Structures are given as structure tokens and as C-alpha cells.
Amino acid sequence: MESHGTLETLLNSDVLSGTPDAAAEAVAGAITQMAEAALSLSVLVATPPLHGRLGAHAGSANSDGDGQKKLDLIAEDLFAAALRRAGVAAYLSEEVEEASLFDAKGVIAVAIDPLDGSSNIDVNAPIGTIFSIFPMIPEGLAEPAHAFRQPGRNQLAAGFFIYGPQTSLVVTFGKGIHLLVLNDKTGTFVLVESGVTIPAEQAEYAINASNYRHWPESVQSYIDDCVKGADGPRGRNFNMRWVGSLVADSYRIFMRGGIFLYPGDKRPGYEQGRLRLMYEANPIAFLAEQSGGAATDGVDNILDRVPHSPHQRVPLVMGSTDKVERVRQYYLDLSPPTRDAPLFGRRGLLRD
Ligand code: AHG
Ligand code: MN
Ligand code: MN
């Protein structure tokens, strides 16, 4: 693939031209600092400084007798320090209960999942870091958590680093998405492609099917129809993938299409699914929309949701627009009053 430069040249191009100068500078600074942290984390992930098992639990001791941290706490330290250096105003992390005010003069607020896919650390599968950048709002000065009471639509930038066979950065500033790959010989992120779009044709879905019995009937029906393949109402065969790291499942969808679902289900505590709005669903939804796809909670656009609490969960259906819309139809068809209306039943109306 043709190379168009580096992260630095991308940040100095017109990608942030619609954003006020101070915020644009702050976004560029935050992403530059996070890229440094991501480089450190990727080196840590790729070499054995943690004495083999990267997923060791916090509180355990390494062979030197030092306290050994879980990788997600190491990631938290790296990214919090990076964003503090960048002078961001408000900071919200999956790893920290309370949002913080880093710099009262800062003009942006950053929400972050420092280490996504923790359960994959010890199995050498891709893991990542997801971030979401908002303009700082005055309400956040007195109470930092309030800086994050903005709909995802307000994001200035969002993206994720993925530590896999390649360390990559997928990022948007609201004008399409960009794919950059780390050149580990130079330590720079190289721009590989701008304007990545989700291919529409891929018949592939991602869902943790072990939760089938807990799902709402709408999701069961959607997946049933995929599983029936060429013999069912969809008239085509589907493939299934579930890495279990949102970054990896999303990356695959941005590159080759498909759909990802983490619905709300009947398990206690999973009524709103598993994923967190502020640092998982919002940034992935922004990327999805910017790559020609869509993201909903099953029915409504994720980016329109006004958050009520920093760590709230939200169901997430994300991928190519036609598939996300189809899932929406399944949700709506099963809601009264249409659920018993045979003419408007879900099957047969919604072939590709
Ligand atoms: P985290 O490691 O930050 O807690 O996130 C894990 C998330 C997400 O990456 C993934 O899509 C999902 O949890 C997997 O959930 P299940 O283990 O329920 O399949
Ligand atoms: Mn996560
Ligand atoms: Mn995490």
C-alpha cells in the first residue's frame, strides 16, 4: 500500500481544520502523547519484562520481590501520564472510579479504556487502547465527571490503538477514518490509508453466542436467521468471528465488513450489555459512522445518547449500515404493537 506520511504529518494537515485552533492543538497534542504511550505499551507487550505472564494479577510479586501490576494498571499509568503531559482538562478512565481534573486551563476532555481485551492478554491475542476526545465544558471544572455529560456526537476525535501482529492506530477527527501502522524500527506511526470504508458485502457476524439464552428475542431471531444460512430467510451463508477484544473485532469490521453485537441481556448487571458508553461504544460508534457504517443500541444511534454517569454501559450493534439497520428492524418488529402483525413480521421482508 502507498504510504502518505506519518502521524505527525497527518496531525499537521487539515484533518482538524473545522475545530477551533486551541482545541485542534490540544487534540493533536493528546494524540501525539498517547502515541508515545502506545509505543511504550506495545514494546512491553512484545517483550517479556513482566516475567512471562502479562496478565499477572495486581498485588502479586515478581521474582525481584517488587509489586507486580496487571497490564491494565500499567496501561492506565502510561496513558494517564501521557494525557497529563498533554494538558488535557478532564480525564475519565475505565480503571479509575472518579473522573479527574488534570488541568483547569485545558480545553479538551478525554475518556479512555487504557487496556481493552484484558482477557486476551495471556493468550497472545490482540488487545488495545480506546480513546474519545470531547471539548471541555464549564460544568466539568467544578465536577470533572460532568465534562463527560455530552452526547458522542460532540466528539472532536476518537480512535484506538491495537497491539496485534502490527501495532496500529485507527483514528477519526470527524472527516473519515485513518489507519496508521507503527514502524517499530523508527518508533513512528506511518499513515497507511485515509478514508477507510466498511465493505458492505461481508456476511460475517460477531457476538458472544454463549449468551444466546439470555438475549432478547429480537437478537435471537436475527442470529437464528444468520445461522440458517442459505436455507433460511437470508438466503446466504454467514461466517462468525468473536475475538473478545472490542478493538480486534472492530478492526476486522473496518477492514472487511460485517456486524458486531453486544446486546443487553437478561443476566443481572447485563441489562445494558457489557460495553461502556464513554470509552468503548462512543469512540467505536464515531469511527463506524465515519467509515460509512453505523452504530446503535439496537434501535437508537449511540452518538445521540446523553450520558448520565461516567461508567454507564450501553448495548452496542455496530458495522455496515445495512446490517445495523436490519438488526433495528428485528428489534422494532418484536416490540408491541407490531409483534403480532403477520404482514409486518420480520421474516421475508428483510432479505439483502
Ligand atoms: P475490557 O478488557 O476493557 O474489560 O473490555 C472487554 C470487553 C470488550 O473488549 C469485548 O468486546 C467484550 O468485553 C467481551 O466480552 P465477553 O467476555 O462477555 O465476550
Ligand atoms: Mn474494554
Ligand atoms: Mn479495559
Side-chain angles (χ1 to χ4, degrees), residues 50-123:
L50 298 184
H51 306 270
R53 306 269 295 182
L54 287 168
H57 288 279
S60 61
N62 64 22
S63 58
D64 300 324
D66 296 333
Q68 194 175 31
K69 289 180 175 179
K70 275 177 81 169
L71 193 63
D72 29 25
L73 296 185
I74 294 174
E76 163 62 26
D77 289 349
L78 277 170
F79 282 91
L83 291 166
R84 211 181 262 284
R85 274 199 305 277
V88 311
Y91 174 77
L92 170 69
S93 164
E94 183 189 18
E95 298 301 328
V96 184
E97 191 58 36
E98 304 288 339
S100 317
L101 186 66
F102 277 179
D103 185 339
K105 296 196 188 70
V107 294
I108 57 171
V110 181
I112 192 162
D113 178 355
L115 205 292
D116 177 65
S118 304
S119 69
N120 278 328
I121 298 170
D122 262 346
V123 299

Side-chain angles (χ1 to χ4, degrees), residues 304-318:
D304 293 332
R305 188 172 277 242
V306 180
H308 54 77
S309 101
H311 298 286
Q312 78 188 72
R313 297 171 195 268
V314 69
L316 178 63
V317 177
M318 182 281 292

Side-chain angles (χ1 to χ4, degrees), residues 158-218:
F160 62 84
F161 297 92
I162 179 167
Y163 317 104
Q166 297 176 325
T167 292
S168 303
L169 165 62
V170 182
V171 63
T172 183
F173 305 93
K175 295 189 200 86
I177 75 173
H178 310 274
L179 168 65
L180 301 100
V181 176
L182 179 66
N183 176 341
D184 57 9
K185 293 191 179 60
T186 60
T188 47
F189 281 89
V190 176
L191 182 63
V192 170
E193 193 178 343
S194 287
V196 177
T197 54
I198 299 180
E201 286 315 305
Q202 184 73 16
E204 195 165 67
Y205 63 89
I207 193 165
N208 184 339
S210 68
N211 297 321
Y212 181 94
R213 69 191 184 286
H214 306 300
W215 297 337
E217 206 186 323
S218 48

Side-chain angles (χ1 to χ4, degrees), residues 217-218 221 299 326-350:
E217 206 186 323
S218 48
S221 298
V299 175
R326 179 185 300 274
V327 171
R328 185 164 175 272
Q329 293 301 318
Y330 277 71
Y331 269 90
L332 294 178
D333 278 359
L334 289 171
S335 307
T338 53
R339 62 181 304 161
D340 297 316
L343 279 178
F344 298 97
R346 61 193 176 277
R347 292 184 179 82
L349 283 179
L350 298 165

